[in-house]
Each structure stands twice: as C-alpha cells, then as structure tokens.
Amino acid sequence: MIQDTVVAAIARHQGREGPLLPILHDVQHAIGYIPREAVPEIARALNLSRAEVHGVVSYYHHFRTEPPVAPVLQMCRAESCQAMGADALWEHAKHHDGCQLEATYCLGLCASSPAAMLGDRPLARLTPEKLDEALR
Ligand code: FES
C-alpha cells in the first residue's frame, strides 16, 4: 500500500514544476506521514539525493516521519496567526485530550487567521468554540 501510494503521488506530480512538495503532501495525506521507505523512491523519481528529500521533509514541521498516534491538531504559531490570537488558542488547545497538539509555522491560510489543521481538515478563523466543536 505504501509503495502504491508513493508511486501514484509521483505519477501525479512528476511532470510539473516543483513536484517534491505536492508529492510529499499527497503521501502524507494518504498515509498520515512520510514513511522512511518513500524517501529513496521519491529521490530516484525526481533525480534528487535522498538527503535533499529528507532535508525538505525535516525542514517543514507539517511533515511527519512517524505515524500519528491520535488525530493531530497542527496549530499555526506564525506571525499572522499570532496577531489574531493564536497564543490564546494554543493555551486552550493544550487542555484537550484525544489529539496530538503540534505547532506549525504558516499553513498558507494567513488571510483566515488564526488557522490550524485537524488531520487533513483546515480550520480557519478559529475561535475556542470552533476548536471545541471540531475536536468533538
Ligand atoms: S501565519 Fe498562520 S497560516 Fe500563515
């Protein structure tokens, strides 16, 4: 299944400009993380070194290299979201059980700050009430 998912993601994006990030997003979306064995396969397909692919995976906090144990709540803690109350939301989210809270730095949803991702679901213009509802 991992192999098929990686091959399909590569096939979907290989011909486009800058295919690495879309491939990694697709793999993580399908599997929940970037499996170690995906790195050499992606590197070979894109004519990159394993270190280059691994470097991108480890650079972005969004990408995980281990399967998530519980639903992951990635809360943006970058400037735009901070200006819109992300710190208070972070404190609010820390008291929830049943999800893994991770900080991330810009989800590309700055216009809808504060923003988060619950699994692969974007949460925009987040409030404590919206967060509680999403976690229910
Ligand atoms: S700063 Fe939070 S989504 Fe960009």
Side-chain angles (χ1 to χ4, degrees), residues 76-82 104-115:
C76 178
R77 308 209 66 198
E79 289 79 5
S80 174
C81 288
Q82 270 188 15
T104 191
Y105 297 89
C106 197
L107 292 161
L109 297 168
C110 315
S112 302
S113 296

Side-chain angles (χ1 to χ4, degrees), residues 36-91:
R36 189 172 315 222
E37 59 265 38
V39 171
E41 182 85 30
I42 294 168
R44 191 172 28 258
L46 301 183
N47 199 24
L48 298 170
S49 70
R50 292 176 185 198
E52 287 172 306
V53 175
H54 177 74
V56 170
V57 170
S58 57
Y59 177 79
Y60 290 100
H61 291 99
H62 174 72
F63 295 122
R64 287 182 297 278
T65 54
E66 300 292 333
V69 187
V72 174
L73 175 65
Q74 290 187 317
M75 295 198 67
C76 178
R77 308 209 66 198
E79 289 79 5
S80 174
C81 288
Q82 270 188 15
M84 297 301 285
D87 287 345
L89 277 169
W90 177 265
E91 291 303 316

Side-chain angles (χ1 to χ4, degrees), residues 108-128:
L109 297 168
C110 315
S112 302
S113 296
M117 293 287 289
L118 182 58
D120 60 359
R121 179 176 154 207
L123 303 173
R125 294 187 179 90
L126 207 49
T127 63

